[in-house]
Amino acid sequence: DQKKEITINDVSRAYFYAKCTRDLYIELPKEDPEAHPDFLGKLRLCLYGTRDAALNWQQTLSDHLVESGFVRGIGHPAVFHHPRRDIWTLVHGDDYCSAGTSDSLDWLQKTLEGKYKIKTQRIGEIDKKNEKKHEGQVLNRVVRWTPKGFELEADLRHAELIIEQLELGGSKPVVTPGVDVEGTCAAWEEEPEGEELAPAMATRFRTIAARCNYLQPDRPDIQYAVKEVCRLMSRPTVKAWDLLKRIGRYLQGRPRLVWRYCWQAPLSTIDVTSDANWAGCRRGRKSTSGGTIMVGSHLIRFYSKTQSVIAKSSGESELYAVIRASTEGLGMVTLMKDLGIKDAKVRIGMDASAAIGMAQRTGLN
């Protein structure tokens, strides 16, 4: 089969293509030669800053794609699939990110150019016309074409800014973003309140923690450590600052992480792995559910979430984790259906015998 490529289309002044669905009036700008202090202007198209501009634009782009042969996703309304041309499209705001064969993406580009004024990037094998590039950016993530497949990488600038804002230039890096918090939590148990950061430092803590939180969806290696730091944002302490600095020192040694998606045959089995750390939080005694979602050799999603209920045993915490994993798997099945893959199935993997036994029970429990 012809290998897929990626195209990124950016619509210029997108909201101006959407019609207003209610009566809106504005004061005429002074630059308008027909402006008069006694007159108002009635909007026919959406203006940036109006309340329903984004909603109207979403409806406008959806109607256009559906008219062009796309099917809009049911579970994920921002996802579109063209069954005949086999194009997958994700729309975020005014950015279209599409995957398909070269001929299909050429057709899509002409279709969009006939409706909007757009800027286009094509990521794929460089052709004779030199219209394609090996590398581009999608929502501030670097996407790279290689002969073996695609690569995805978070914007390197985020890691650099975290290190810079923590003033860690020249410090010695560490090999893990966090540590087994036994010693730290023991100190918290002895000193529950801890020494709070000064207001200026607390604001700085929240700023850097928020940037880490923005980075972690592309960095599975720091996700758990970032989650624990973000739980302390409401009342940052000196110990919380130390945990944040450790993440920065880890990023100093490993500022980059590249995801590789090698070419593989179409698959319909979704492998979800599940695990939990029982009472991992020594202060609240809450556990964390963690898992990964794979399609073949491709890591599609990963997560690390604090459980809302305090589990009374390791088996119970693992059961909560596998329920979360099943939910994530079903959500991925819905996404694959929206992309035209109808026969997707979920396979759950876990290593806790107690949770396996509870999950395999039949009848009313």
Side-chain angles (χ1 to χ4, degrees):
D1 294 341
Q2 188 177 358
K3 293 180 178 178
K4 291 186 179 293
E5 299 176 352
I6 291 177
T7 184
I8 302 106
N9 303 108
D10 180 13
V11 179
S12 301
R13 301 186 299 176
Y15 288 177
F16 295 154
Y17 292 100
K19 294 182 179 180
C20 284
T21 56
R22 59 192 176 99
D23 292 338
L24 286 174
Y25 298 89
I26 62 169
E27 294 182 359
L28 296 175
K30 296 179 180 180
E31 294 78 9
D32 190 337
E34 299 182 4
H36 190 280
D38 296 333
F39 292 98
L40 295 175
K42 182 179 179 180
L43 292 178
R44 291 185 296 173
L45 302 176
C46 290
L47 187 67
Y48 280 81
T50 54
R51 186 173 54 198
D52 48 2
L55 178 63
N56 292 339
W57 160 244
Q58 181 71 24
Q59 190 61 47
T60 299
L61 73 88
S62 299
D63 292 343
H64 176 240
L65 289 177
V66 170
E67 291 172 1
S68 303
F70 283 85
V71 177
R72 188 178 187 182
I74 297 175
H76 304 80
V79 171
F80 298 83
H81 175 240
H82 198 295
R84 187 166 63 87
R85 297 184 180 273
D86 195 24
I87 303 174
W88 298 349
T89 297
L90 169 67
V91 184
H92 184 274
D94 57 5
D95 295 320
Y96 293 65
C97 179
S98 306
T101 62
S102 180
D103 294 340
S104 296
L105 295 181
D106 288 341
W107 169 85
L108 176 61
Q109 182 173 339
K110 291 179 181 178
T111 300
L112 294 177
E113 287 175 345
K115 182 75 172 179
Y116 314 116
K117 181 180 179 182
I118 63 171
K119 300 176 183 177
T120 301
Q121 297 181 63
R122 287 288 290 273
I123 305 173
E125 186 175 8
I126 296 178
D127 58 2
K128 295 180 181 179
K129 298 180 182 179
N130 200 28
E131 294 177 348
K132 303 173 189 174
K133 299 180 179 179
H134 282 332
E135 186 175 292
Q137 282 200 337
V138 179
L139 301 177
N140 294 326
R141 293 166 175 84
V142 179
V143 178
R144 205 174 286 114
W145 183 93
T146 71
K148 295 182 179 180
F150 280 95
E151 294 180 352
L152 177 69
E153 181 179 2
D155 188 348
L156 185 60
R157 183 59 178 155
H158 292 306
E160 294 174 350
L161 285 173
I162 291 169
I163 296 169
E164 178 182 329
Q165 291 170 349
L166 288 170
E167 299 178 353
L168 292 174
S171 63
K172 184 178 179 180
V174 295
V175 296
T176 60
V179 292
D180 184 356
V181 295
E182 181 176 358
T184 307
C185 285
W188 256 314
E189 290 167 1
E190 294 172 4
E191 190 182 359
E193 297 299 324
E195 182 183 349
E196 289 191 40
L197 295 175
M201 285 295 293
T203 300
R204 184 179 170 193
F205 173 91
R206 295 186 181 101
T207 300
I208 302 172
R211 185 176 293 279
C212 290
N213 196 37
Y214 186 83
L215 177 64
Q216 59 85 15
D218 300 310
R219 295 292 300 260
D221 51 339
I222 68 171
Q223 190 173 66
Y224 177 80
V226 171
K227 174 185 75 75
E228 292 298 308
V229 164
C230 289
R231 292 178 65 200
L232 306 171
M233 289 179 69
S234 62
R235 183 184 161 277
T237 63
V238 174
K239 297 182 181 67
W241 181 259
D242 291 339
L243 295 176
L244 182 61
K245 286 183 68 175
R246 185 174 182 90
I247 296 174
R249 292 175 61 194
Y250 173 80
L251 290 175
Q252 189 175 29
R254 290 169 175 79
R256 300 179 60 194
L257 188 146
V258 179
W259 301 41
R260 291 192 174 94
Y261 295 96
C262 299
W263 306 117
Q264 65 179 14
L267 298 170
S268 58
T269 301
I270 303 169
D271 289 301
V272 184
T273 59
S274 171
D275 203 357
N277 67 336
W278 178 40
C281 176
R282 304 294 178 86
R283 291 167 294 137
R285 299 299 176 182
K286 289 186 177 180
S287 310
T288 295
S289 298
T292 61
I293 301 178
M294 305 278 294
V295 177
S297 62
H298 297 171
L299 177 61
I300 305 300
R301 174 169 159 72
F302 52 91
Y303 59 90
S304 177
K305 303 289 185 181
T306 302
Q307 295 179 1
S308 58
V309 179
I310 298 176
K312 299 177 180 63
S313 67
S314 60
E316 185 180 348
S317 69
E318 293 282 358
L319 179 63
Y320 294 150
V322 78
I323 292 172
R324 174 63 188 247
S326 302
T327 303
E328 295 281 349
L330 292 175
M332 192 58 61
V333 168
T334 303
L335 175 59
M336 294 185 76
K337 286 183 179 179
D338 290 342
L339 294 173
I341 303 171
K342 305 296 184 182
D343 57 346
K345 298 180 181 179
V346 178
R347 183 166 54 192
I348 305 292
M350 52 181 169
D351 60 357
S353 57
I356 293 174
M358 287 185 279
Q360 291 178 337
R361 292 175 185 170
T362 58
L364 299 175
N365 296 305

